Amino acid sequence: EMYKRVLARRLAVQALYQWQMTALNVDDLLLEFDLERELGKADKSYFIEVITGVVQCFKELKSDLQNVLDRDWERIQVVERSILLIGALELREEKIPSTVVINESIELCKRFGTVDGFKYVNGVLDALKERSYR
């Protein structure tokens, strides 16, 4: 069960990466990922919840993140942006303990991000948790 959610987050990172690069609408994005064999093994409803949540709340999430960033949004790698958006959404919704959210984000970074990206993402989400979502 835990693995299904981990897989859903991994696929969400890839889908949000694609969304930022192509500006596909959510329905097309979900359709495309529905054809992915891996989605069958993942927690599909969680995947949909994350993608829809990030796309719908993108402006607010980006603005919340921008408040704690030390650089311009555009200067952050797209993969790391995707991970930050998922983390910010999860912190904001408070359905999952913040320590779990941050750990999962670090794991995603180690898998997909740049070498030291996980330290940056960790710092940003920590600051976000302290400042915005208490």
Side-chain angles (χ1 to χ4, degrees):
E1 202 45 47
M2 189 67 193
Y3 178 72
K4 285 186 154 196
R5 187 159 276 203
V6 168
L7 193 54
R9 276 198 193 86
R10 280 183 202 161
L11 290 167
V13 171
Q14 295 170 320
L16 288 170
Y17 180 93
Q18 204 170 325
W19 176 70
Q20 291 180 84
M21 300 304 272
T22 61
L24 272 178
N25 71 45
V26 176
D27 291 338
D28 290 340
L29 199 58
L30 293 175
L31 200 61
E32 195 163 314
F33 271 77
D34 222 359
L35 303 171
E36 285 246 349
R37 287 192 315 273
E38 269 196 300
L39 193 52
K41 300 181 208 136
D43 181 338
K44 188 176 167 183
S45 64
Y46 193 66
F47 170 83
I48 292 170
E49 193 183 314
V50 168
I51 297 301
T52 312
V54 167
V55 173
Q56 280 174 352
C57 305
F58 176 69
K59 281 199 174 79
E60 297 96 305
L61 295 171
K62 181 180 164 183
S63 146
D64 291 346
L65 285 161
Q66 193 72 71
N67 286 334
V68 294
L69 291 176
D70 62 353
R71 63 191 75 165
D72 205 46
W73 179 253
E74 276 66 37
R75 290 194 46 226
I76 295 170
Q77 302 270 352
V78 181
V79 170
E80 278 140 24
R81 268 191 252 163
S82 305
I83 294 167
L84 286 170
L85 287 165
I86 295 170
L89 180 77
E90 290 181 330
L91 286 175
R92 187 181 208 191
E93 292 185 337
E94 292 184 334
K95 291 180 195 160
I96 303 166
S98 58
T99 47
V100 174
V101 171
I102 293 172
N103 282 334
E104 287 294 326
S105 300
I106 290 169
E107 288 310 311
L108 288 168
C109 258
K110 288 180 178 173
R111 190 176 181 92
F112 296 118
T114 54
V115 180
D116 281 339
F118 73 92
K119 295 175 188 165
Y120 186 69
V121 164
N122 186 7
V124 170
L125 292 177
D126 257 341
L128 185 65
K129 180 189 76 177
E130 292 305 313
R131 187 158 162 179
S132 308
Y133 304 150
R134 289 229 281 216

